[in-house]
Each structure stands twice: as C-alpha cells, then as structure tokens.
Amino acid sequence: MDGSAAQGGLFEQAALQLPDAELSYQPDWLDRATADDWLQRLVEQTPWQQPEVVLFGRQLPVPRLVAWYGDSDARYRYSGMTHQPLPWTPLLAEIRQRLIDSLGQPLNGVLLNYYRDGQDSMGWHSDDERELGAEPLVASLSLGGERRFDLRRKGGTRIEHSLQLAHGSLLVMGGQTQHHWQHQVAKTRKPCAPRLNLTFRLIRTPL
C-alpha cells in the first residue's frame, strides 16, 4: 500500500466532518498498558524546558513544559523561537516508526508538551509555519489525563468543534486544516491528571 492510500484509509475510518479540513480521531489507538508505560517513561526521561515568550511587552514562561526531538536538520521555529532538535531516544524512535507504519507518511520531528495540571494550556494557533509545507501533517498522540481540544475557523471567535482527547488516542490533522482552522487546549478549573501530548510533524523545508 502506498503512503497516500494508507493515510486516505485512516482518514476514511475515523474522519471528523469539518469543512476545509482533513481530521481523523482514533480514541483507542494505543492499548492501555502501552499508553501507561510510555507516559511514565517519557515524563521521567525527558529533559523538560519552560521557555519564555514576549506577550504584550512582558516576558512570560509558556504555561506548560516542552521538548523538541527530531532528525539533525529538523530545526523548527514557532512562537518566535528556533528549536534545535534533541536526538531521537529509543522510545521516541519506536513511537515514530509505529506512526509511520500506521500513516504511511514520513515524520522527522516531534514536539512534546507536558500539561502538569488544568492551568497549563495552549492558546489559539495554527501549525502553519513555512517549514511544514503547503499541507502540514500533524499526528498528535495524547497520554494521561483527558483535556478538551477546541477548533475554530480562522478569523472567527466561536468554537465550532471540541474533542475530549483520551489517554492513548491519536488525532491526525492534514490537508488544508491548518490554513482554515485554529485549535487550542484551554485552561480549566476542573481537576485533571497530568497530560503528555506528542505532536509528530514533517519538517519539509529545514531552517
């Protein structure tokens, strides 16, 4: 099976019907035991960082912990910062290969976001950086506590669709999704367990 057929099959099996978007969601992509094991190992082994961004003239720490891994040339610029990739660990290389086998698409970098509690968050944005190419592919693996994932039209303010991202679930965004939609993981006052999110990407135009 070629790559386009594999990805097309995935989108057909678990597609979310949003206009101008290619989205698929598999709530049980991983079995529970594997998801538990990966979560524990990744949280313990990752050299977490909390970079600062300038917001309204003030330097503020991002509200989560992050790490960027990838091929040696997979530098990635977002939020005004250029991230040099850490080399793949055996576990992350294993996860990447499983995703490549599932999607039939190459992936050369992964951004890890660790949401320690409900006050850790990700604001509205699109993954539309130049180095991701004309049709960015983002494969998002969620481990740990469930958090709500919101989507809205670019230029709009109304949440059009929401998902509860489950432990061991896989959300894949492709096609024109990033050109027409924004997404967020909002803060919440509800009690929630820590969540680890791994977003695998293909850096098409290295910096």
Side-chain angles (χ1 to χ4, degrees), residues 153-175:
R153 279 277 195 178
K154 277 191 176 180
T157 57
R158 184 169 66 90
I159 294 173
E160 301 273 351
H161 191 79
S162 294
L163 281 170
Q164 288 292 129
L165 297 179
H167 182 42
S169 67
L170 179 66
L171 173 69
V172 181
M173 298 180 281

Side-chain angles (χ1 to χ4, degrees), residues 46-121:
T46 302
W48 296 109
Q49 296 183 329
Q50 189 173 19
E52 292 189 340
V53 294
V54 177
L55 193 64
F56 305 116
R58 298 173 59 201
Q59 270 202 318
L60 299 170
V62 298
R64 61 194 175 278
L65 304 181
V66 304
W68 171 250
Y69 288 83
D71 293 353
S72 59
D73 62 347
R75 294 178 295 279
Y76 186 42
R77 182 175 178 82
Y78 68 93
S79 298
M81 298 173 287
T82 299
H83 297 262
Q84 299 289 341
L86 295 166
W88 294 101
T89 65
L91 176 55
L92 287 173
E94 175 191 340
I95 299 171
R96 173 174 73 155
Q97 191 57 53
R98 191 180 293 202
L99 277 166
I100 289 172
D101 293 343
S102 178
L103 297 174
Q105 297 287 327
L107 299 163
N108 60 5
V110 60
L111 178 64
L112 278 65
N113 285 295
Y114 187 44
Y115 300 83
R116 296 159 293 182
D117 55 33
Q119 292 307 295
D120 277 358
S121 62

Side-chain angles (χ1 to χ4, degrees), residues 25 32 35-36 39-40 43 113-118 120 141-149 163-169 185-186 188 190-198:
Y25 178 62
R32 182 62 183 250
D36 289 348
L39 174 62
Q40 180 179 355
V43 169
N113 285 295
Y114 187 44
Y115 300 83
R116 296 159 293 182
D117 55 33
D120 277 358
L141 173 62
S142 293
L143 301 171
E146 287 196 6
R147 291 291 292 268
R148 197 185 75 199
F149 180 88
L163 281 170
Q164 288 292 129
L165 297 179
H167 182 42
S169 67
V185 176
T188 177
K190 295 179 181 177
C192 57
R195 170 181 180 255
L196 175 59
N197 179 226
L198 295 82

Side-chain angles (χ1 to χ4, degrees), residues 2-20:
D2 65 23
S4 60
Q7 187 181 350
L10 177 68
F11 280 117
E12 289 166 12
Q13 292 166 23
L16 300 174
Q17 300 304 317
L18 284 179
D20 305 313

